[in-house]
Amino acid sequence: MRLRDFPEEELFLQGSAACQGCPGSAALRVAFKALGKNTILAVIASCTSVLQSPYPASALGLPTLNMAFATGGAVASGMTAAADRLVKNGRFSEKPTILVWAGDGGTYDIGIQALSGAAERNADFIYVCYNNEAYSNTGTQRSGATPYAAWTTNTTRGKGEWRKDVAQIMVAHGIPYVATASLAYPTDMFRKFAKAREIRGTRYIEIQAPCPPGWKFPSSHTIKVARLAVQTGMWMLYEHEGGRTTYTAGTQRIIQGQAKLAPVEEYLRAQGRFRHLFEPERDEKRIAEIQNRIANIFETLQFTHKMKEHIMDIEMAPPR
Ligand code: SF4
């Protein structure tokens, strides 16, 4: 799939109320193109509740239910049961894709209980967390997804804790499909949505969503920051299905040795929310902590990849 092969029909319409350079609207556009018209959307309280524009106008070209923060998993469980019933009694010819669209606040913190319950029941829907790593629609407060050392309005010297990893928590639920995605790799994102559409049960896709006002970078740099996140290892691209994790796109290239892991400083310096790590003086300790954590993860993944290649070489060697 190339960019020019994306469907031309736009289901994310003009006139949204999003900020310039908003990652949420770009992600919605790709997701809608991959999932198509037979999709019903549940928007959980987040920037997407606002950016769809004030009632009665809407930039969302799909039937949409706007719901409270804590309700994503519960609402989608009800929607998918209702859709099954409508198919059974002949009122729907085909079951629509049920799509939950939530931010990290509605996923990592306030909505995790309902999501976990639905995932444990393997309820049939796609849950998307567009992760802008803070409560951006209320002015950038810290969330469970905010990375270590990042500024928010209530972590003014930088967050003291590492973010939790909800994608891995969803892997631990044993659901059929978990994937991460990046705006800088739209074909990879499209492919993951298209694949998720064909799978039944709970599917979870998490998109890193660099937010210009919250992360303090120019609105023209959204894709650049998203790409740097992958190139420096701050965000990893993978999909997990059938008990197996496959790394994809930029992350795969680093693990397989086709690209080098860029220094994390390039990512940190691109955003005002990490400025206190460099001014008024360089915070060597915290920069090194972040870099070492990434290096440890990638060393392990690169070692595992080499071992697998080695084993395949042995298996494929002709018998003597
Ligand atoms: S605050 Fe960030 S995520 Fe929210 S609408 Fe603006 S750019 Fe998009």
Side-chain angles (χ1 to χ4, degrees), residues 16-25 46-48 50-51 130-132 134-140 209-215 217 219 222:
S16 89
C19 314
Q20 275 189 349
C22 174
S25 38
S46 61
C47 281
T48 308
V50 181
L51 69 80
Y130 76 100
N131 179 0
N132 54 24
Y135 288 81
S136 294
N137 65 327
T138 50
T140 321
C211 164
W215 297 17
F217 61 79
S219 58
T222 304

Side-chain angles (χ1 to χ4, degrees), residues 139-302:
T140 321
Q141 292 81 32
R142 148 210 210 285
S143 80
T146 303
Y148 176 67
W151 168 94
T152 65
T153 52
N154 47 7
T155 56
T156 51
R157 296 182 180 193
K159 187 181 170 190
E161 301 79 29
W162 301 93
R163 81 169 176 96
K164 65 180 162 186
D165 191 339
V166 170
Q168 285 301 307
I169 292 172
M170 297 316 292
V171 166
H173 280 72
I175 58 176
Y177 188 68
V178 176
T180 57
S182 162
L183 292 169
Y185 300 84
T187 53
D188 181 67
M189 189 193 297
F190 184 99
R191 186 184 61 75
K192 287 169 177 168
F193 271 101
K195 182 189 270 193
R197 189 187 59 188
E198 303 306 323
I199 297 171
R200 297 278 73 83
T202 308
R203 294 139 282 165
Y204 178 86
I205 299 178
E206 184 163 335
I207 306 166
Q208 196 207 28
C211 164
W215 297 17
K216 299 183 182 300
F217 61 79
S219 58
S220 57
H221 288 189
T222 304
I223 303 302
K224 178 185 161 190
V225 172
R227 187 174 298 114
L228 276 171
V230 174
Q231 289 172 337
T232 58
M234 280 292 279
W235 186 252
M236 294 175 69
L237 297 173
Y238 62 86
E239 54 192 341
H240 184 93
E241 54 185 328
R244 192 186 167 112
T245 299
T246 308
Y247 291 90
T248 64
T251 303
Q252 184 187 56
R253 287 195 277 281
I254 295 168
I255 292 170
Q256 294 183 351
Q258 293 150 1
K260 277 200 160 170
L261 193 64
V264 76
E265 196 168 328
E266 290 181 24
Y267 177 72
L268 302 175
R269 278 191 182 278
Q271 304 163 62
R273 65 176 175 157
F274 292 110
R275 187 173 299 135
H276 53 278
L277 297 182
F278 303 98
E279 297 171 14
E281 56 196 41
R282 201 178 154 83
D283 187 337
E284 213 61 75
K285 181 172 172 285
R286 281 196 286 182
I287 297 168
E289 277 175 343
I290 299 168
Q291 186 65 78
N292 291 340
R293 195 176 167 99
I294 295 170
N296 286 340
I297 292 168
F298 273 85
E299 269 169 28
T300 306
L301 291 172
Q302 284 165 336

Side-chain angles (χ1 to χ4, degrees), residues 40-62:
I40 301 178
L41 182 62
V43 172
I44 306 311
S46 61
C47 281
T48 308
S49 317
V50 181
L51 69 80
Q52 59 191 261
S53 80
Y55 181 83
S58 177
L60 305 177
L62 293 172

